[in-house]
């Protein structure tokens, strides 16, 4: 089948009433949680995952994906109006978005972020369509050693680009991998770390890990932070019209942002937040007058917002073509696929073309819906910003409990969420970023399986991993990244500069 | 010699202890050889990595001083309490009281329960019951007698 046939199949799938409805639900929920600070797309997907198990798998993925990229649209609203990032990846939008609002240009800022989001998102989808099938084709010939190499690269990348210390990110990877071994070992039938608890024989459910680490622990932190319901000025549609100078100034950054974002998003394991920050740094560096940045420069919101949406879309490239999550939320998407009995990997495109192309087509539909949701209906979202955080977390809390209970009617599972949530709180308190843990938890069992297979094929010789060129290149680059990540802070410390990268969040 | 960074010191000790616990838990598992990897291989290798990382983090915490972060006890205990209340109430009284108990206990994490919180609890209980029990068919009684 050629590309056109595939796209046709995709749009046929995506335009079915069920998928269209769930696409709409997804992007609306995504915008909603994106707009509201204190809950990120990861937590939202985690909370809704139990519900998706009752849905048709394609519809479930369409909805999860919609929440994910929808949040990137909505997230800039709070950044601009309240100086509070709606999601972590919109933090950089505060820098120039909030000053713009203070200058009475909130409407223009909101219009610009939505338009550049659309530009970034569209380019991301285009690249996804062009490259994902090629990569999947190529990956069909992967052997176990190459899989191990790709997964290791993804894990190390996830640890290194995390906010906060890269070393702590590596600890989270190790921890996530070991949590992934809990349950009966499929190879030998031996139970591992089940402590005699029957419910642990199948391993810890990804829903429990995700809702505990991202829902519960984020909630405890956000309550602690105490967000007052802001007094937000209403935004009039007419005030959103940009001047021709605004348009001219934001075109270049949007395209450059889309390019940077697409590249970063396509790397396995990296999130969208890095893409936004890189784009901001670039725009500031190449600006004729960098001193304008931080005081309401439109380039400072156009670039990053395009970049994070492009990254959100290209994150699907490794996720759907290799089965390696392109971001923490993608790890959840893979988890949802596995629970539906669909094995992620390069075979997805040939075995379930309707699902892959339907999902891709739904992205176009979703992005157009988001454009409508975010420009004419902006007033609704601005009003939503006045919802106190209290009502938000009190709504999520019972949803998590019921959702986890509904997995298999187990009280132990709800107790596990409680435990994981408290533990996650202390991890965050100690500046451990839980995103790499989640990625490692999902990849762990696949990594172990492929490692065992590779070792059996290589007759126990570790050098077998360096027999094929691709695997070798990947392993060597992984090693170099690891070395750089560990050596750079040590070097900085020797120069008596304390590395300071505060903040946490999820994307 | 100055004071340690209390946050990293605690983090380092925590990671080391977790590594040791996982190592202890993996002791009964067959390690195997590289040619025929046993179920204990991954857990043991990873526990040792965790222990090593924990020791490194502990050691590096002595480079710069820093305070231990403040624990938000009230939200922590009350969010935990809300989930515990859910389990107990679901076990004895059913889903509707369980959701309401979660919301009301959870609301104590920030301020006091007000009329609007109570209204929210009732609304959520009904909405969740409709979605999960009626809509999705999750086997969860709406109301149950503790003596039944």
């Amino acid at each position: 089948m050629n590309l056109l046939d595939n796209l046709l199949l995709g749009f046929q799938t995506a335009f079915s009433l069920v998928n269209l409805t769930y696409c709409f639900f997804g992007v609306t929920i995504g915008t909603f949680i994106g707009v509201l600070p204190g809950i990120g797309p990861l937590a939202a997907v985690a909370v809704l995952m139990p519900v998706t198990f009752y849905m048709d798998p394609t519809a479930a993925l369409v909805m999860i994906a919609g929440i994910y990229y929808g949040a990137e649209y909505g997230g800039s609203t709070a950044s601009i109006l309240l100086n509070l990032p709606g999601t972590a990846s919109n933090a950089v939008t505060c820098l120039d978005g909030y000053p713009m609002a203070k200058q009475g240009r909130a409407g223009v800022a909101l219009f610009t972020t939505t338009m550049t989001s659309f530009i970034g998102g569209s380019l991301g989808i285009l690249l996804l369509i062009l490259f994902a099938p090629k990569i999947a084709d190529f990956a069909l010939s992967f052997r176990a050693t190459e899989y191990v190499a790709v997964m290791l690269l993804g894990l190390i990348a996830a640890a290194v680009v995390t906010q906060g210390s890269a070393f702590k990110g590596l600890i989270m990877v190790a921890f996530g991998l070991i949590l992934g071994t809990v349950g009966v070992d499929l190879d030998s039938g031996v139970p591992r770390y089940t402590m005699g608890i029957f419910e642990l024989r199948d391993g810890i459910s990804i829903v429990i890990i995700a809702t505990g680490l991202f829902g519960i622990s984020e909630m405890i932190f956000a309550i602690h932070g105490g967000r007052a319901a802001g007094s937000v000025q209403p935004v009039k549609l007419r005030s959103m019209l940009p001047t021709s100078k605004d348009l001219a100034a934001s075109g270049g950054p949007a395209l450059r942002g889309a390019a940077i974002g697409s590249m970063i998003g396509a790397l396995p394991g990296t999130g969208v937040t890095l893409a936004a920050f890189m784009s901001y740094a670039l725009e500031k560096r190449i600006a004729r007058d960098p001193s304008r940045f931080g005081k309401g420069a439109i380039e400072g919101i156009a670039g990053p917002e395009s970049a994070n949406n492009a990254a959100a879309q290209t994150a699907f490239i490794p996720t759907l073509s290799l089965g390696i999550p392109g971001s923490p939320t993608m790890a959840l998407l893979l988890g949802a696929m596995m629970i539906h009995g669909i094995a992620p990997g390069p075979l997805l495109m040939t075995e379930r073309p309707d699902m892959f192309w339907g999902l891709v087509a739904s992205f176009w539909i979703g992005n157009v819906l988001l454009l409508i949701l975010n420009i004419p209906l902006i007033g609704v979202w601005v009003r939503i910003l006045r919802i106190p955080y209290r009502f938000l977390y009190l709504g999520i809390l019972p949803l998590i409990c019921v959702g986890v209970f509904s997995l298999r009617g187990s009280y132990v599972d709800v107790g596990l969420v409680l435990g994981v949530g408290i533990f996650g709180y202390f991890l965050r308190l100690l500046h451990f970023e839980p995103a790499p843990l989640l990625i490692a938890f999902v990849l762990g069992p696949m990594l172990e399986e492929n490692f065992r297979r590779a070792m059996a094929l290589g007759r126990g010789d570790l050098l077998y991993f360096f027999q094929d060129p691709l695997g070798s290149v990947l392993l060597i680059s992984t090693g170099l990244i690891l070395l750089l990540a560990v050596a750079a802070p040590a070097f900085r410390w020797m120069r008596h500069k304390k590395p300071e990268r505060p903040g946490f969040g999820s994307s | 010699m100055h004071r340690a960074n209390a946050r990293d010191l605690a983090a380092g000790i925590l990671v080391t202890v977790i590594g040791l616990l996982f190592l202890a838990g993996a002791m009964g598992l067959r390690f195997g050889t590289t040619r025929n990897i046993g179920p204990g291989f991954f857990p043991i290798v990873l526990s040792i990595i965790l222990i090593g990382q924990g020791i490194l983090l502990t050691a590096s915490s002595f480079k710069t001083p820093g305070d231990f972060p403040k624990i938000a006890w009230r939200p922590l205990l009350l969010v935990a309490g809300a989930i515990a209340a859910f389990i107990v109430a679901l076990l004895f009284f059913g889903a509707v009281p369980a959701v309401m108990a979660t919301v009301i206990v959870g609301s104590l994490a920030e301020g006091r329960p007000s009329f609007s919180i109570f209204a929210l609890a009732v609304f959520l209980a009904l909405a969740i019951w409709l979605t999960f029990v009626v809509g999705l068919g999750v086997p969860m009684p709406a109301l149950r007698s503790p003596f039944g």
Side-chain angles (χ1 to χ4, degrees), chain A residues 47 50-51 54 167-168 170-175 177-179 181-182 185 187-188 190-193 216 219-224 226-227 389-391 393-399 401-403 405-406 409 411 414-415 417-418 421-423 425-432 444 447-449 451-452 455-456 459-462 489-490 493 498, chain B residues 6-8 10-12 14-15 18 21-23 25-26 29 34-35 37-44 46-47 49-50 52-54 56-57 63-65 68-73 75-76 78-84 86-87 90-91 99 102-104 106-114 116-117 120 124 128 132 136-140 144:
Chain A
V47 171
V51 182
Y54 291 88
F167 185 65
K168 283 184 172 171
L170 290 171
I171 294 177
M172 286 297 96
V173 166
F175 194 37
L177 287 175
I178 208 164
L179 282 177
T181 66
V182 174
D185 173 36
D187 214 51
S188 59
V190 179
R192 299 192 285 197
Y193 300 122
I216 304 286
M219 186 183 294
I220 299 171
F221 248 99
I223 298 173
H224 180 45
R227 181 179 71 88
Y389 182 64
R390 203 174 181 206
F391 289 94
Y393 85 78
L394 287 176
I396 297 166
L397 197 53
L399 255 183
C401 294
V402 175
F405 183 80
S406 77
Y411 294 92
V414 188
V417 165
L418 174 60
I422 294 177
F423 191 71
Y425 173 74
F426 282 102
L427 286 183
R428 281 168 193 269
L429 199 69
L430 299 174
H431 284 182
F432 286 108
L447 181 68
E448 184 176 12
E449 191 194 324
F451 184 78
R452 278 178 167 178
M455 282 292 86
R459 302 208 174 98
D461 183 6
L462 279 168
W493 175 66
K498 209 171 87 183
Chain B
R7 187 195 301 262
D8 283 354
L14 178 73
V15 173
I18 289 173
L21 285 176
F22 271 100
L23 188 62
L29 302 169
T34 49
R35 182 183 281 213
I37 289 171
F41 187 93
F42 252 59
I44 290 169
L46 288 167
S47 318
I49 292 176
L50 273 172
Q53 287 172 322
L56 268 175
L57 191 58
K63 288 188 304 199
T64 46
F68 191 79
K70 217 167 147 258
I71 299 171
W73 286 111
L76 178 66
L78 283 158
V79 168
I83 304 173
F86 176 85
I87 300 175
L90 183 62
L91 207 52
V99 170
T102 314
V103 175
I104 289 164
S107 74
L108 297 170
E110 190 183 75
R112 288 203 197 104
S114 56
S116 57
I117 295 291
L120 179 75
L124 283 171
I128 287 177
F132 282 86
L136 300 176
V138 175
M140 192 165 55
R144 150 195 295 179

Side-chain angles (χ1 to χ4, degrees), chain A residues 226-246:
Chain A
R227 181 179 71 88
S231 56
V232 194
Q233 293 298 314
V235 176
K236 292 215 175 61
L237 208 55
R238 199 180 307 150
S239 75
M240 295 181 85
L241 277 179
T243 62
S244 54
K245 207 175 134 218
D246 289 334

